[in-house]
Amino acid sequence: MKLPDLLGSEKQIKWANDIRQEYIDQLAQDEKLVEKYLELKEKSDDDSKELKDLQRKMSTSLFADMDQSRFGSIITPIMGADLADKQAFEDKVQDDTEGYLFADFSSKEEAEKCYEQVKQDYLKAGGQKVWDLSARYNEITDKYGFGVENEETDSAYQKWFDESEKVMFNYLKIRWDNKIASEKSSAWYIDHRLNKKF
C-alpha cells in the first residue's frame, strides 16, 4: 500500500506516522483473526468454546461492526444490519440525506457523496449477493408469515447471515485500506487517538 505524506508540524507528523503504522500492523493481525474465525465457523458448531473466544476477540478488532465496537463508527457511517438489506440501506440513506445535520453531515450533498461511496465499497466487497439472499429470505417470510420458523426460513436466514458476515469483513477492510491510503491529515490520527476512538 502506498502511503501519502502526512501534513502537519514535524512533531505531529512523527506521532501520526507512529499511530498509522500501529493500525496497519493491527489490521494485518485482525485480518488473520477474521480468516481463522471464518474457517473455524465452517468446521464447528456455534457453541464451541474456541469459536466463542474468537467472537469475543473480534468484537474489539478493527473489523468489528460499528454496533459492536467504537472502531466501526470512524470508518463507516452505517451498521452491518442496515447494509445487509437493500431496502434498509436505502431507508438509511434517505433518512441521513434528508436529516443530514442529525447524521453529522454538513450538507445533503456531503451525505449523498458519502453513501454513494459506501454503496460502491459494499458492492465491491460482494454486497450484491447479500442483497439477493436478503430478498430471497424476505420472499420466504412473506410466503409463510413473519416470525414463522421452519426448515426453509431457517436455511434462507442462515445463508443470508453467513454471507453478510463475510462481506462485512471485506467491506470494512476496503474502508480501512482506502482511509489509510488517502488520509493526509496528521490531526485526524492524533484526534482519534486523544479521544480514544481507536
Side-chain angles (χ1 to χ4, degrees):
M1 180 192 299
K2 191 176 187 312
L3 299 175
D5 292 334
L6 294 170
L7 304 175
S9 69
E10 186 177 343
K11 187 176 180 181
Q12 285 176 321
I13 290 170
K14 183 181 184 311
W15 191 11
N17 262 321
D18 290 344
I19 296 168
R20 181 169 67 180
Q21 189 57 53
E22 281 179 33
Y23 286 91
I24 289 170
D25 294 343
Q26 187 174 345
L27 281 166
Q29 289 177 8
D30 289 349
E31 192 171 355
K32 289 177 183 174
L33 188 68
V34 167
E35 288 170 0
K36 186 176 179 184
Y37 166 75
L38 292 174
E39 185 181 330
L40 185 64
K41 191 177 177 186
E42 285 186 12
K43 294 177 180 175
S44 64
D45 65 69
D46 290 344
D47 292 326
S48 79
K49 183 182 183 303
E50 190 177 1
L51 193 62
K52 284 183 176 178
D53 286 344
L54 277 173
Q55 284 172 327
R56 190 167 50 254
K57 288 178 184 175
M58 297 283 292
S59 69
T60 59
S61 81
L62 294 179
F63 291 102
D65 194 353
M66 67 182 286
D67 60 348
Q68 299 173 317
S69 164
R70 67 186 185 279
F71 298 124
S73 60
I74 66 166
I75 213 68
T76 177
I78 185 168
M79 291 189 293
D82 289 329
L83 264 175
D85 181 278
K86 190 176 183 181
Q87 187 59 56
F89 172 69
E90 290 172 352
D91 290 346
K92 172 73 171 167
V93 172
Q94 184 176 351
D95 288 347
D96 283 3
T97 50
E98 289 179 359
Y100 61 87
L101 289 174
F102 297 105
D104 293 329
F105 293 107
S106 60
S107 67
K108 184 176 181 180
E109 291 71 27
E110 184 192 0
E112 288 172 343
K113 184 179 178 184
C114 173
Y115 278 111
E116 182 54 36
Q117 188 59 56
V118 166
K119 182 178 180 181
Q120 293 308 314
D121 291 342
Y122 192 65
L123 291 174
K124 184 179 178 182
Q128 187 59 56
K129 185 174 180 183
V130 176
W131 286 351
D132 291 344
L133 288 168
S134 168
R136 176 64 184 143
Y137 173 69
N138 289 333
E139 281 176 15
I140 293 171
T141 55
D142 286 346
K143 174 179 163 185
Y144 293 108
F146 186 77
V148 175
E149 293 184 14
N150 58 41
E151 192 174 329
E152 192 176 1
T153 57
D154 289 351
S155 174
Y157 176 80
Q158 199 60 52
K159 284 178 185 174
W160 172 35
F161 177 83
D162 289 346
E163 190 64 26
S164 69
E165 192 174 47
K166 283 189 280 188
V167 168
M168 192 62 186
F169 293 139
N170 292 339
Y171 164 76
L172 289 172
K173 183 177 188 317
I174 289 168
R175 299 287 290 185
W176 274 111
D177 287 349
N178 288 347
K179 185 63 177 176
I180 289 172
S182 64
E183 185 57 66
K184 294 180 180 180
S185 170
S186 293
W188 185 85
Y189 287 99
I190 294 167
D191 176 60
H192 286 291
R193 171 58 59 85
L194 290 175
N195 287 295
K196 297 184 178 177
K197 290 180 181 175
F198 74 87

